[in-house]
Amino acid sequence: MTDSRAAKGVAAKKIAPKKTPIPEQDSQARRSNFGEVSLGYTPGQAKLEAARCLNCAKPACVSGCPVGVPIPRFIQALNSGNISTAFDIIKEANLLPAVCGRVCPQESQCEQRCTLGKKFEPVAIGRLERFAADWIMQSGLTEVPKIAPSTNRRVAIVGSGPAGLACAYELAKAGHAVTIYEAFHEPGGVLLYGIPEFRLPKRIVAAEIEVLRKMGVQIVVNAVVGKLISVDELLSEFDACFVATGAGTPKFMCIEGENLNGVYSANEFLTRINFMRSHSFPEYDTPIRKGQRIAVVGGGNVAMDSVRTALRLGAGEGIIVYRRSEEELPARREEVHHAREEGVRFELLTDIVRIIGRDGSVSEIECIKMGLGEPDAGGRRKPVAIKGSEFRIPVDMVIMSIGTNPNPLVPQSTRDLALTTWGYIVADDRTGETSRPGLYAGGDIVTGSATVISAMGAGRRAAEAIHGHVMRKQ
Amino acid sequence: MAKILEKRLIRKPDVYFYKIAAPLISKKALPGQFVIIRLHDKGERIPLSLADIDPGEGTISLIVMAVGKTTHEFSTFNAGDDILDLCGPLGQPTHVEKVGRVVLVGGGFGAAPLYPIARAFKAAGNTVTVVMGARSSDLLIYEQEMRQVADRVVITTDDGSKGMKGVVTAALVQELEQHGAGLVVCVGPAIMMKFVAQATRPFKVPTIVSLNPIMVDGTGMCGGCRVIVGGETRFACVDGPEFDGHLVDWDSLMQRQKGYHREERESFEAWKDRHRRMLDKDHQPLCE
């Protein structure tokens, strides 16, 4: 009822039916650079878009946001031209608005529930969030949030991806002494090694992490928990520990030819480029192969990131090989759209069967056409290979982007930690509590590969539970 | 950052010994493990085996042969300099237990990581023979150190300039024929480990090899170091680096090791060029 009345209200207010378009880099020009594709709203465009929000009394959008950003409140602030207030409202719930505004799949989260979306295009919540965060950053107004008086409680966080950072942020605000242990030489997790520069500029990640440092959070890099120090040791040194090591171990298909040179996991390919900057080899020391025709196996965001990165390295052709159909592509709509604009070829309902090599390197892939069979338990129709439909595509590089497994280092090295049969840590949905008292876990190491914002949500919820736990401790 | 405490040229012209301050790593590291280093902020991450571990003084030691850009650049680092990133210990340690007679086989500068392994097997109550080979006597390293921890050291050189003339496999076969062994552990170039595994197969002696594929992160998140062992894909950085030598797909390993030969040469040439210019500049007075 509320919805339909609101929708009538829409018509009465003569609200623009479509999202205010966002300026973007030209699709041809951007194919040869790593600059950001989406350029962000101007203050004028942001105001125009903010005016589309109906300011619903019971905002459904907020319930679609995994960290519960007070969406109508911040948009109303933008609407009245108060960007700095808008930013403060967002920051009540979200440590990384400049990141989330860019990489969240809003079409399946906040924007999916937007009342306006019932009749027209939903309010561009993500773009507005990003606008407020960028504007503050550009104006140099970034402030360190108020920190509660010290509680003399110490919390260790394992992993500096979105879950670990969000947890650290909340705990530091509450006055706890927080130390983050990171295995790599820079913090950020997937924000740094996974998501490419053209979607998420690294300076933005660095700036948001800098705020944590200013809040007094200690970040220890090159510290592989499970090897250099164990969770058991952390639990004896700290009042609590939060494990957020992600699901960073790539899956392979174990098909013929998968170990040929020129076959990468998406993780390796993206790590070399985003993290080690091998696109600037030999200025930077880490090399990367530069293929001319590249096949990426998979249909998620990581697959889109990989194929678009390959184009920017100079590949003439980038091909997505995905065994289901367009509808099931798990990647963000906007990324699929961008990939298409950049000329990526989609081989849908196609699976890879084997990789063929010449002189130790990839030369072709053999694929098979798939049909969609009966829906499975989850309602998705199961792809079934069509006999005799094999065909080959000449390629000189293959990137496997078919998902990840949990990293085994912490699960293997921690006593009495309950794991699922797949090796993920068993943790309470609401609190992140594990089978060990004082040990909490969240993000992909609990749920398997999910989104940045859901990992941050888990980090936030765990922070609340950890706060309760350590304050009860004498 | 990790400080270099000591550096020595231990084999002319290109093999260096480094002792590095690493209090935390030295407390946890065990024989058979490795570290990953990155020299500076444009550097790559390279894996290096531990040549010694001293938890008492809080140090680890590395033996590095200058073969390409990063290792040559490392050779310009001196005592007092810092390595930007030092990450470890990584990989599974050598499984050390009492098996009776153990033969350790090292080739070239692969002898270095065998040193802490030999010491651990000796401490576990084994009779330890070390077979170490090089092309000629002046290329041997770590002979004195090995003599201190092993019951017997057998030297082989391709040119016969010291010890037995020939390759390590001949000496190994002789050792197995005469004394037998409960275990063989081999560290060295892939081609040598392949032939060692072939040589021990007829004797049915369990043979552990330490694989050296290309690595990036060293923590199991990229699969760049994947190897085929017993028909399965394994990640050398977290599942290994040691595996059953009789089950390793050697040809695939050696093929993958060559994956960046062209780029490695390009990077090295560019560095040599820059480095020469840098050295030339150093010889000119900066101001009058």
Side-chain angles (χ1 to χ4, degrees):
Chain A
M1 282 310 283
T2 326
D3 289 342
S4 65
R5 227 176 292 133
K8 270 181 215 146
V10 173
K13 272 173 73 181
K14 286 231 167 38
I15 280 179
K18 295 208 170 217
K19 287 181 181 177
T20 311
I22 194 161
E24 284 174 356
Q25 246 204 94
D26 172 73
S27 63
Q28 277 313 301
R30 74 186 187 227
R31 254 190 81 148
S32 53
N33 69 53
F34 279 85
E36 200 174 7
V37 168
S38 175
L39 302 172
Y41 279 152
T42 61
Q45 289 163 336
K47 204 155 177 207
L48 211 59
E49 183 61 22
R52 294 180 69 230
C53 175
L54 301 173
N55 196 13
C56 304
K58 285 183 185 160
C61 52
V62 177
S63 61
C65 172
V67 295
V69 167
I71 294 165
R73 270 174 59 212
F74 97 75
I75 293 184
Q76 288 320 304
L78 284 182
N79 208 1
S80 52
N82 203 337
I83 305 171
S84 163
T85 308
F87 180 75
D88 291 342
I89 295 168
I90 298 169
K91 276 290 223 185
E92 287 172 19
N94 188 354
L95 152 75
L96 306 171
V99 172
C100 293
R102 285 172 165 84
V103 306
C104 274
Q106 287 95 3
E107 71 266 23
S108 57
Q109 295 177 340
C110 54
E111 293 180 19
Q112 189 187 39
R113 311 229 183 144
C114 172
T115 307
L116 198 57
K118 310 251 180 220
K119 194 163 179 186
F120 302 136
E121 280 189 3
V123 176
I125 301 166
R127 293 172 181 180
L128 290 174
E129 180 180 36
R130 170 191 165 164
F131 166 76
D134 285 0
W135 191 86
I136 292 291
M137 215 179 277
Q138 278 154 20
S139 325
L141 296 174
T142 311
E143 274 178 42
V144 176
K146 269 205 195 77
I147 290 178
S150 169
T151 59
N152 293 315
R153 304 292 199 279
R154 301 176 68 228
V155 182
I157 290 178
V158 185
S160 65
L165 294 176
C167 189
Y169 179 72
E170 297 300 333
L171 290 170
K173 268 203 301 194
H176 306 297
V178 178
T179 305
I180 301 180
Y181 292 87
E182 166 57 42
F184 261 152
H185 55 255
E186 274 177 59
V190 75
L191 305 176
L192 218 57
Y193 74 72
I195 305 174
E197 186 76 20
F198 57 80
R199 217 150 65 78
L200 179 63
K202 301 302 155 226
R203 64 183 158 75
I204 284 172
V205 181
E208 298 206 325
I209 289 175
E210 194 49 37
V211 173
L212 277 184
R213 284 210 172 90
K214 286 193 179 137
M215 290 166 71
V217 172
Q218 299 289 317
I219 303 178
V220 185
V221 295
N222 293 316
V224 182
V225 172
K227 292 287 178 188
L228 183 69
I229 188 163
S230 68
V231 165
D232 297 323
E233 286 167 306
L234 290 176
L235 281 174
S236 69
E237 264 181 57
F238 289 85
D239 297 300
C241 176
F242 178 61
V243 173
T245 49
T249 299
K251 280 186 194 163
F252 286 94
M253 289 175 78
C254 302
I255 53 172
E256 185 188 326
E258 207 170 24
N259 280 17
L260 285 163
N261 287 326
V263 182
Y264 287 94
S265 72
N267 265 13
E268 179 182 1
F269 180 70
L270 293 172
T271 297
R272 282 179 181 268
I273 290 162
N274 298 333
F275 194 57
M276 304 308 296
R277 298 178 197 167
S278 54
H279 52 74
S280 299
F281 176 87
E283 187 199 345
Y284 284 79
D285 292 340
T286 306
I288 187 82
R289 281 187 168 237
K290 288 184 177 163
Q292 265 314 299
R293 291 169 64 92
I294 297 188
V296 177
V297 182
N301 283 321
V302 179
M304 298 306 142
D305 286 346
S306 300
V307 76
R308 297 173 65 203
T309 298
L311 292 180
R312 284 157 173 77
L313 283 177
E317 186 163 24
I319 306 158
I320 287 281
V321 176
Y322 180 58
R323 62 198 192 113
R324 298 176 195 259
S325 64
E326 170 96 30
E327 247 173 74
E328 288 96 4
L329 276 171
R332 255 180 120 214
R333 283 286 145 245
E334 192 176 338
E335 307 314 324
V336 175
H337 169 71
H338 282 154
R340 280 227 159 84
E341 279 185 340
E342 288 164 16
V344 170
R345 170 177 148 197
F346 283 75
E347 288 285 349
L348 300 170
L349 286 167
T350 301
D351 205 1
I352 187 169
V353 182
R354 65 182 175 121
I355 304 169
I356 300 152
R358 199 185 306 124
D359 304 326
S361 290
V362 176
S363 63
E364 275 182 299
I365 53 172
E366 188 171 304
C367 296
I368 192 162
K369 285 282 174 199
M370 308 295 276
L372 285 181
E374 292 299 305
D376 61 16
R380 284 215 300 186
R381 292 176 67 192
K382 202 173 145 58
V384 189
I386 301 170
K387 272 203 186 104
S389 69
E390 288 88 350
F391 66 105
R392 291 183 179 193
I393 308 175
V395 293
D396 49 11
M397 222 166 107
V398 178
I399 299 169
M400 305 302 292
S401 180
I402 53 167
T404 52
N405 285 318
N407 189 299
L409 291 177
V410 166
Q412 272 173 7
S413 61
T414 309
R415 277 188 288 113
D416 307 327
L417 183 59
L419 304 175
T420 69
T421 41
W422 300 103
Y424 294 100
I425 296 176
V426 176
D428 186 283
D429 283 351
R430 281 176 308 108
T431 61
E433 278 175 285
T434 69
S435 55
R436 289 279 297 272
L439 182 59
Y440 297 75
D444 287 4
I445 188 66
V446 171
T447 59
S449 299
T451 58
V452 167
I453 193 71
S454 55
M456 292 179 61
R460 252 193 124 201
R461 290 191 299 276
E464 205 184 314
I466 291 169
H467 175 75
H469 173 81
V470 298
M471 293 318 284
R472 280 193 301 273
K473 267 181 107 166
Q474 287 306 303
Chain B
M1 295 234 272
K3 194 164 287 304
I4 300 171
L5 301 175
E6 189 186 332
K7 177 205 182 188
R8 276 186 282 128
L9 177 66
I10 63 161
R11 189 186 87 185
K12 277 182 186 165
D14 52 10
V15 180
Y16 296 87
F17 168 93
Y18 298 88
K19 185 178 276 187
I20 297 165
L24 295 175
I25 296 176
S26 71
K27 280 186 184 54
K28 285 297 170 70
L30 291 167
Q33 291 189 299
F34 64 95
V35 292
I36 284 200
I37 66 161
R38 190 175 71 127
L39 295 175
H40 51 71
D41 64 1
K42 290 186 176 176
E44 61 180 338
R45 298 166 64 95
I46 62 162
L48 295 168
S49 300
L50 293 168
D52 206 357
I53 305 154
D54 190 334
E57 62 174 25
T59 62
I60 56 164
S61 299
L62 305 172
I63 300 241
V64 183
M65 180 156 76
V67 289
K69 197 258 174 177
T70 298
T71 45
H72 269 98
E73 193 168 18
F74 195 16
S75 74
T76 67
F77 280 51
N78 291 304
D81 290 344
D82 287 311
I83 298 168
L84 181 59
D85 296 299
L86 172 67
C87 179
L90 299 170
Q92 302 292 337
T94 307
H95 181 70
V96 177
E97 57 179 347
K98 187 170 177 183
V99 292
R101 299 185 72 86
V102 178
V103 182
L104 307 179
V105 186
F109 81 122
L114 268 184
Y115 172 61
I117 296 173
R119 194 170 52 195
F121 273 107
K122 183 67 195 162
N126 295 283
T127 304
V128 176
T129 300
V130 173
V131 177
M132 47 198 292
R135 280 200 310 281
S136 77
S137 64
D138 53 334
L139 296 179
L140 276 170
I141 61 163
Y142 258 49
E143 186 191 338
Q144 290 320 311
E145 287 85 347
M146 287 301 195
R147 289 196 187 280
Q148 282 163 20
V149 296
D151 294 283
R152 211 148 59 80
V153 174
V154 180
I155 306 275
T156 72
T157 49
D158 295 6
D159 62 1
S161 53
K162 184 162 193 176
M164 268 180 71
K165 183 173 160 62
V167 291
V168 286
T169 41
L172 171 63
V173 166
Q174 202 177 69
E175 179 72 19
L176 293 178
E177 280 169 348
Q178 287 173 2
H179 306 288
L183 179 70
V184 170
V185 181
C186 179
V187 185
I191 187 75
M192 191 195 92
M193 294 192 285
K194 174 183 175 175
F195 284 115
V196 163
Q198 265 173 26
T200 61
R201 197 187 296 271
F203 293 93
K204 297 192 164 55
V205 182
T207 301
I208 300 297
V209 293
S210 180
L211 301 187
N212 44 9
I214 291 171
M215 288 186 187
V216 185
D217 63 292
T219 61
M221 61 77 71
C222 88
C225 67
R226 64 192 186 275
V227 290
I228 304 173
V229 182
E232 279 177 34
T233 295
R234 310 287 298 274
F235 292 0
C237 71
V238 288
D239 301 325
E242 295 185 351
F243 292 99
D244 180 343
H246 296 148
L247 298 178
V248 171
D249 181 335
W250 294 103
D251 296 337
S252 162
L253 173 70
M254 286 188 272
Q255 191 69 60
R256 284 184 65 78
Q257 285 176 334
K258 289 189 284 200
Y260 295 98
H261 265 185
R262 200 165 41 107
E263 290 83 359
E264 283 162 5
R265 261 198 309 278
E266 185 189 343
S267 168
F268 188 27
E269 291 307 319
W271 178 78
K272 275 196 288 197
D273 209 42
R274 241 181 5 249
H275 195 61
R276 241 192 317 272
R277 264 185 283 142
M278 227 159 62
L279 289 176
D280 289 347
K281 205 166 57 197
D282 285 349
H283 289 136
Q284 288 162 8
L286 287 172
C287 53
E288 294 300 321

